[in-house]
Amino acid sequence: MQRLLACLDVSHYSQTVCEHAAWAAQRLGASVELLHVIQRNDARAELDGAGLATKPGLLDEVMALKAAEGRLAERQGHLLLEAAVDQLRAGGVTDVELSLREGGIVETIAEREAFSDMTIIGKRGAQADFAKGHLGSKVERVIRQSRKPVLVATRVFKAPQRIAIAFDGGPSSRKALEYASTSMLFGGLDIDIVLVGGYTDSNAAHIDWAQTQFTGRAGVKAVQREGNPDAVLPQVIRERGIDLLVMGAYGHSPLRNMLVGSTTTQMIRAGQTSVLLFR
């Protein structure tokens, strides 16, 4: 049985993460692990940094406040997970495990990912929930360190009926396309294979290879456009009524992405569809 890792926080995205997880679990016959991570701060280190660690009684007072905050965070985490499992069960998913952990968010997700087949995470975390247009740094870090598919959920869930695969012939996009052609997740759905680039022999070969992966399957169409992927992909999504974008993630180094930008980040940040990413 496949296993999904659904990552929850106290942002508005927890509900849509659960909705995406229920949809995927139903189609895959998968179980779901609901994960919430509580981050702890070192009170002494914070006081040291502020030059206040030697002030009499201050450390004890801060430690008492931190303990109270910890109890509140733990209670909040339990309530969040309980609400999430109720939501999944209402969606027909009964095989659910609850995980409340302490530690770093990225590190904990990486640890739990080893036991899962796919990670589902909100487009923005709790700290970035109101920073519209900005992708939370932890979301990008989760994607970069992941060795499993990562489904980045938008704020509003819509059960996918038509998906697009952003395909450039590279290793990560081939991995994404092979998954889409074999997984029950996309069984019976309409699929557009989207290649952005000129009509070259190389691109024609890429399209031919991609189409052979879906031989005999109805509802699959190749779409080729010239232009910049950052502009073309959103246009295709609007024109074709795409509900979910499937693509390779961060094909270039972090330094190059910082200098010239990243289509991955652009599609997650500005796009109105959820994105399934492959490294």
Side-chain angles (χ1 to χ4, degrees), residues 43-84:
R44 181 178 290 278
E46 290 179 352
L47 290 176
D48 283 340
L52 299 173
T54 59
K55 186 173 181 180
L58 183 58
L59 180 59
D60 290 340
E61 183 178 349
V62 171
M63 291 296 290
L65 290 172
K66 291 292 184 182
E69 288 176 2
R71 291 191 295 271
L72 178 61
E74 186 172 349
R75 178 57 179 159
Q76 186 179 48
H78 282 298
L79 292 173
L80 177 67
L81 291 173
E82 289 169 8

Side-chain angles (χ1 to χ4, degrees), residues 133-257:
H134 296 280
L135 178 64
S137 61
K138 287 187 173 61
V139 176
E140 180 172 331
R141 288 175 58 201
V142 167
I143 296 166
R144 285 189 178 279
Q145 59 81 36
S146 180
R147 293 297 174 264
K148 305 288 178 64
V150 178
L151 177 56
V152 182
T154 53
R155 189 158 179 169
V156 178
F157 172 72
K158 178 184 177 184
Q161 298 298 317
R162 178 182 290 274
I163 72 167
I165 306 169
F167 185 70
D168 62 7
S172 61
S173 71
R174 288 190 175 230
K175 185 176 181 180
L177 189 137
E178 288 172 340
Y179 180 93
S181 68
T182 59
S183 174
M184 293 186 297
L185 189 63
F186 301 131
L189 302 184
D190 292 329
I191 296 175
D192 287 352
I193 303 168
V194 184
L195 189 147
V196 181
Y199 291 86
T200 64
D201 290 343
S202 176
N203 284 339
H206 290 327
I207 287 292
D208 287 344
W209 178 87
Q211 289 179 313
T212 61
Q213 308 307 305
F214 293 95
T215 299
R217 179 166 168 177
V220 179
K221 178 182 177 62
V223 178
Q224 187 170 3
R225 301 279 181 87
E226 295 189 21
N228 186 311
D230 291 356
V232 172
L233 288 174
Q235 182 180 20
V236 171
I237 287 170
R238 290 192 300 270
E239 291 177 358
R240 302 286 295 168
I242 301 300
D243 303 310
L244 175 66
L245 177 65
V246 181
M247 64 186 295
Y250 298 113
H252 301 293
S253 69
L255 176 60
R256 185 178 188 279
N257 288 337

